[in-house]
């Protein structure tokens, strides 16, 4: 919708009265927002507190308050017997490799699609965009069968490659937005200076794409950090499990002792929340960028 | 070598990594899933071609219960569209009109989106725990002991109990998308309407909502396809039980594959999911177009 309306009216003129909400409505709005804030924060708060309590406090003495005894041993339990430190490292390895592969493949493909002239570049873009709607279920059986045939189940690659492939469509979408903003004169100038296509790509485009890399990196990180279905099926070895699968295993192990489970949940959550505290705007943008084009 | 040929080779080289990943992991497997769906196959032995038998069995057999699972996921979709999205829209409108503390509220409401579904599932398992869960403890404390129950263990309440964490997790996501749309509405337009005497509600109803329709459309599509594909939370909370009360197509598919070794049938469910997701996406697109 275009803003064709010109506001020429003097706002202070008494002829026009802008209706303000009554005090009651305003108070009700804030009560509603406060209530919703509570609903959002309370489970997270509760998770942090019970990760530091023993069963006696969790199960009755002190259900919702801050822990009386800060029981850090829950965390050492989660790591020593629950192997959360191993799962944590695995998740990091998988996430970092996935992000690297996604970024390289997406940057190169986007460059070919948006900055090189050839006949079917539009169709190629549409082809990649199909990936936005394909559910991961679609490929689970063939990937499982193939991975098992080539003996690649129970390796990091069994997760990294599928994750990168499924992150690709979104990465290309975000990349083309950013790459379109880089002026073409830069390519021209570099070409006149004797730069080849690869030179332009590595020396001009890639360094200018840093903000896009952050956006894609964040989005891809969250996808693989939290993914369960593939991780659960393609890796059954303890030494290779990622956090979501590891937590499932741990909760089977500690059905009656809640503290270490709480600690495991916190271990899996705090990196994302920590990053969110510093980069909330960037993270929100990465989610918007992915959906708005639709 | 001719310059044009070099240029073409370069284009191909730039596309190669993405193409290998995309075709190898997404496109080829879809074709293979379609192919497997016509066979009776246990994953390692001989495949027997049986035509559309898997599809027929899927829709007619009560033992598999696909229609029930599909019904459950459609119910989740309906709940998402009619409860979750209006709530998200309401929050987006409130925050988007510029309220004090707007950024802080936005940041808090979006937080659950970032938490792993497994963590959320485990957390809500504890909240719903029949004897020590905070929900039943709370109900007992305020004297409503009669309302306490085994939320995830009873067929009547299990699906509803699964929906609450889904709502909790995704309201913030839809709110953020809609908020971005609301912020995109030009302030002059709002101002003009208010000068003409429109109330906040009227501004939202007649100016903001119509202009963020494309985003609402995206949200509806995501909510429906997301419900059809829902897996993680259900898997953690109930794994389809009790008595298949929370079974959804994905949990059924995983059961077929890894408990019963029916790879042909598992693939059939996967194919149905893809078809349904695309069909619903097209349908919603169509509905929103005619509405214009």
């Amino acid at each position: 919708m275009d803003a064709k309306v010109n506001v020429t009216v003097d706002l202070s003129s008494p002829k026009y009265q802008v209706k303000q909400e009554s005090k009651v409505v305003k108070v009700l709005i804030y009560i509603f927002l406060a209530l919703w804030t509570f609903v959002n924060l309370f489970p997270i708060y509760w998770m942090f507190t019970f990760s530091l309590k023993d069963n006696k406090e969790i199960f009755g003495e002190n259900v919702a308050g801050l822990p009386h005894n800060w029981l850090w041993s829950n965390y050492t339990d989660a790591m020593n017997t629950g192997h959360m430190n191993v799962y944590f490292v695995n998740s990091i390895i998988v996430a970092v490799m996935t992000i690297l592969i996604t970024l390289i493949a997406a940057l190169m493909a986007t460059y070919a699609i948006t900055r090189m002239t050839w006949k079917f570049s539009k169709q190629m873009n549409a082809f990649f965009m199909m990936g936005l709607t394909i559910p991961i279920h679609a490929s689970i059986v063939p990937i499982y069968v193939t991975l098992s045939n080539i003996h690649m189940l129970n390796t990091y690659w069994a997760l990294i490659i599928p994750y990168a492939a499924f992150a690709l469509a979104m990465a290309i979408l975000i990349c083309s937005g950013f790459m379109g903003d880089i002026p073409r004169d830069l390519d021209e100038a570099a070409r006149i200076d004797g730069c080849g296509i690869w030179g332009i790509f590595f020396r001009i485009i890639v360094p200018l794409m840093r903000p896009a890399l952050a956006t894609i990196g964040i989005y891809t990180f969250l996808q693989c950090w939290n993914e369960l279905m593939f991780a659960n099926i393609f890796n059954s070895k303890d030494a290779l499990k990622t956090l979501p699968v590891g937590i499932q295993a741990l909760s089977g192990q500690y059905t009656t002792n809640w503290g270490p489970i709480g600690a495991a949940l916190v271990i899996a959550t705090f990196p994302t929340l920590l990053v969110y505290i510093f980069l909330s705007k960037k993270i929100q943008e990465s989610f918007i960028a992915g959906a708005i084009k639709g | 070598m001719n310059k044009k040929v070099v240029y073409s080779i370069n284009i191909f080289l730039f596309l190669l990594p993405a193409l290998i990943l995309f075709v190898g992991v997404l496109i080829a497997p879809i074709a293979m899933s379609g192919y497997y769906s016509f066979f009776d196959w246990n994953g390692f032995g001989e495949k027997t071609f049986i035509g559309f038998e898997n599809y027929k069995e899927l829709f007619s057999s009560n033992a598999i219960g696909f229609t029930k699972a599909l019904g459950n996921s459609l119910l989740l979709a309906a709940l998402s569209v009619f409860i979750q999205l209006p709530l998200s829209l309401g929050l987006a409108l409130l925050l988007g009109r510029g309220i004090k503390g707007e950024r802080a509220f936005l940041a808090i409401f979006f937080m659950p989106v970032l938490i792993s579904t497994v963590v959320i599932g485990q957390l809500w398992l504890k909240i719903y725990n029949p004897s020590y869960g905070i929900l039943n403890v709370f109900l007992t404390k305020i004297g409503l002991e009669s309302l306490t129950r085994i939320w995830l263990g009873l067929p009547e309440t299990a699906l509803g109990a699964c929906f609450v964490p889904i709502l909790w997790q995704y309201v913030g996501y839809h709110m953020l998308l809609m908020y971005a749309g609301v912020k995109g509405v030009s302030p002059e337009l709002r101002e003009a309407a208010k000068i003409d005497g429109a109330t906040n509600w009227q501004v939202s109803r007649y100016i903001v909502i119509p202009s963020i329709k494309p985003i609402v459309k995206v949200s509806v599509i995501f909510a429906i396809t997301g419900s059809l594909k829902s897996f993680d939370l259900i898997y953690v909370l109930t794994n389809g039980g009790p008595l298949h009360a929370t079974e959804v197509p994905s949990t059924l598919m995983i059961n077929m594959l890894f408990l019963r070794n029916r790879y042909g049938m598992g693939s059939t469910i996967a194919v149905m999911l893809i078809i349904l997701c695309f069909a619903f996406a097209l349908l919603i697109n169509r509905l929103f177009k005619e509405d214009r």
Side-chain angles (χ1 to χ4, degrees):
Chain A
M1 211 177 286
D2 296 315
K4 282 183 195 135
V5 195
N6 278 319
V7 187
T8 46
V9 185
D10 178 8
L11 284 173
S12 59
S13 130
K15 243 162 87 192
Y16 301 94
Q17 261 210 328
V18 177
K19 278 182 195 154
Q20 279 302 326
E21 265 152 351
S22 68
K23 272 253 160 68
V24 182
V25 176
K26 260 200 180 139
V27 169
L28 283 177
I29 287 175
Y30 274 102
I31 290 177
F32 170 68
L33 289 176
L35 207 69
W36 192 247
T37 304
F38 176 80
V39 169
N40 274 276
L41 290 183
F42 183 76
I44 299 170
Y45 157 84
W46 190 56
M47 172 175 86
F48 274 95
T49 54
F50 88 66
S51 78
L52 289 164
K53 292 177 183 171
D54 59 13
N55 272 359
K56 241 171 52 202
E57 284 192 54
I58 301 169
F59 293 164
E61 274 180 15
N62 176 21
V63 178
L66 286 171
H68 296 155
N69 279 326
W70 291 55
L71 206 63
W72 291 103
S73 65
N74 285 338
Y75 283 81
T76 43
D77 277 358
M79 292 209 244
N80 294 340
T81 28
H83 308 300
M84 288 306 289
N85 47 353
V86 179
Y87 306 145
F88 190 91
V89 173
N90 289 341
S91 274
I92 298 265
I93 293 173
V94 169
V96 169
M97 289 305 293
T98 305
I99 291 171
L100 276 179
I101 293 176
T102 309
L103 285 178
I104 294 169
L107 276 172
M108 290 176 70
T110 313
Y111 184 76
I113 290 168
T114 61
R115 290 186 103 82
M116 297 174 91
T117 30
W118 47 294
K119 215 172 173 185
F120 298 108
S121 59
K122 283 236 168 73
Q123 283 83 346
M124 186 54 84
N125 190 47
F127 175 67
F128 281 123
M129 286 311 109
M130 271 173 25
L132 291 176
T133 33
I134 297 176
I136 65 165
H137 311 62
S139 48
I140 198 157
V141 185
I143 295 181
Y144 181 79
V145 171
T146 311
L147 286 174
S148 130
N149 284 340
I150 57 176
H151 303 290
M152 262 179 63
L153 286 175
N154 295 318
T155 60
Y156 288 127
W157 296 108
L159 297 181
I160 294 168
I161 294 170
Y163 287 174
F166 275 95
L168 199 57
M170 186 66 85
I172 291 177
L173 177 68
I174 296 172
C175 263
S176 7
F178 280 90
M179 222 180 264
D181 291 342
I182 301 176
R184 282 182 181 261
D185 304 354
L186 278 181
D187 300 35
E188 270 320 305
R191 194 164 300 138
I192 290 163
D193 287 349
C195 223
I197 286 171
W198 294 86
I200 296 174
F201 176 73
F202 281 113
R203 288 206 219 122
I204 315 255
I205 303 292
V206 173
L208 286 173
M209 287 294 283
R210 263 196 222 131
L213 302 191
T215 307
I216 297 167
I218 290 167
Y219 197 86
T220 311
F221 171 81
L222 286 168
Q223 300 302 313
C224 26
W225 191 261
N226 296 339
E227 205 279 336
L228 174 68
M229 196 193 267
F230 280 1
N232 193 23
I233 291 165
F234 298 164
N235 272 348
S236 52
K237 255 206 211 130
D238 263 339
L240 295 168
K241 278 178 182 159
T242 52
L243 282 167
V245 189
I247 289 173
Q248 279 299 94
L250 186 73
S251 82
Q253 214 175 317
Y254 283 101
T255 41
T256 50
N257 193 0
W258 287 19
I261 298 178
L265 299 184
V266 172
I267 290 172
T269 310
F270 87 87
T272 13
L273 290 188
L274 204 67
V275 175
Y276 184 56
I277 288 169
F278 293 109
L279 293 172
S280 64
K281 211 152 187 196
K282 189 92 203 166
I283 291 178
Q284 289 166 6
E285 275 163 16
S286 74
F287 275 80
I288 295 170
I292 295 302
K293 178 131 190 255
Chain B
M1 228 187 324
N2 167 333
K3 248 189 169 170
K4 227 175 155 189
V5 177
V6 176
Y7 193 69
S8 307
I9 292 175
N10 275 326
I11 290 176
F12 179 72
L13 287 177
F14 268 104
L15 286 172
L16 195 62
L19 274 180
I20 291 175
L21 276 176
F22 199 71
V23 174
V25 180
L26 273 82
I27 305 299
I30 288 184
M32 280 160 82
S33 287
Y35 172 76
Y36 292 154
S37 74
F38 295 114
F39 288 87
D40 184 14
W41 183 36
N42 62 12
F44 35 87
E46 283 289 302
K47 298 188 195 69
T48 332
F49 181 80
I50 52 170
F52 281 94
E53 279 311 310
N54 281 331
Y55 289 89
K56 274 188 212 154
E57 193 188 340
L58 193 62
F59 282 99
S60 61
S61 155
N62 280 329
I64 293 179
F66 179 70
T67 39
K68 161 108 194 185
L70 190 58
N72 283 340
S73 64
L74 288 176
L75 191 64
L76 287 180
L79 289 171
S80 299
V81 171
F82 295 110
I83 297 178
Q84 186 180 50
L85 295 188
L87 186 57
S88 311
L89 181 63
L91 289 167
L93 289 171
L94 278 181
L95 297 184
R97 71 153 87 128
I99 206 161
K100 232 192 215 152
E102 178 185 339
R103 293 281 331 160
F105 282 124
L106 191 76
I108 292 169
F109 298 165
F110 186 68
M111 211 149 74
V113 180
L114 303 171
I115 300 177
S116 154
T117 316
V118 172
V119 171
I120 292 178
Q122 287 292 342
L123 193 55
W124 283 83
L125 269 181
K126 303 280 176 270
I127 292 176
Y128 285 133
N129 184 288
S131 16
Y132 307 116
I134 203 134
L135 179 59
N136 279 353
V137 169
F138 174 73
L139 286 171
T140 315
K141 282 236 164 95
I142 60 168
L144 290 171
E145 205 165 353
S146 57
L147 282 181
T148 62
R149 58 206 61 203
I150 313 168
W151 297 98
L152 291 166
L154 298 173
E156 310 88 72
T157 54
L159 193 62
C162 285
F163 175 69
V164 174
I166 296 179
L167 177 99
W168 186 80
Q169 185 178 16
Y170 288 111
V171 161
Y173 176 65
H174 294 290
M175 174 206 68
L176 181 74
L177 299 189
M178 293 175 187
Y179 170 85
V182 172
K183 279 286 162 189
V185 176
S186 86
E188 288 94 0
L189 207 59
R190 265 171 195 277
E191 229 24 81
K194 292 198 81 178
I195 288 165
D196 285 345
T199 59
N200 269 329
W201 159 245
Q202 285 168 326
V203 173
S204 297
R205 171 69 187 79
Y206 296 105
I207 292 176
V208 179
I209 293 180
S211 46
I212 63 166
K213 233 181 190 177
I215 293 174
V216 175
K217 182 185 82 180
V218 172
S219 270
V220 173
I221 291 177
F222 281 178
I224 293 179
T225 53
S227 303
L228 286 170
K229 294 185 284 185
S230 56
F231 172 76
D232 295 13
L233 256 178
I234 305 267
Y235 179 78
V236 175
L237 288 173
T238 60
N239 197 13
L243 300 171
H244 302 289
T246 58
E247 200 80 74
V248 286
S250 308
T251 52
L252 207 59
M253 178 181 88
I254 299 297
N255 268 333
M256 279 299 154
L257 293 174
F258 300 103
L259 287 180
R260 299 200 225 170
N261 283 326
R262 291 193 61 182
Y263 283 64
M265 186 56 94
S267 303
T268 310
I269 298 177
V271 171
M272 283 313 302
L273 269 175
I274 308 170
I275 294 175
L276 283 166
C277 283
F278 274 100
F280 269 102
L282 284 177
L283 180 76
I284 304 294
N285 265 320
R286 181 63 62 80
L287 284 178
F288 270 80
K289 236 175 222 157
E290 273 173 12
D291 222 29
R292 285 253 160 105

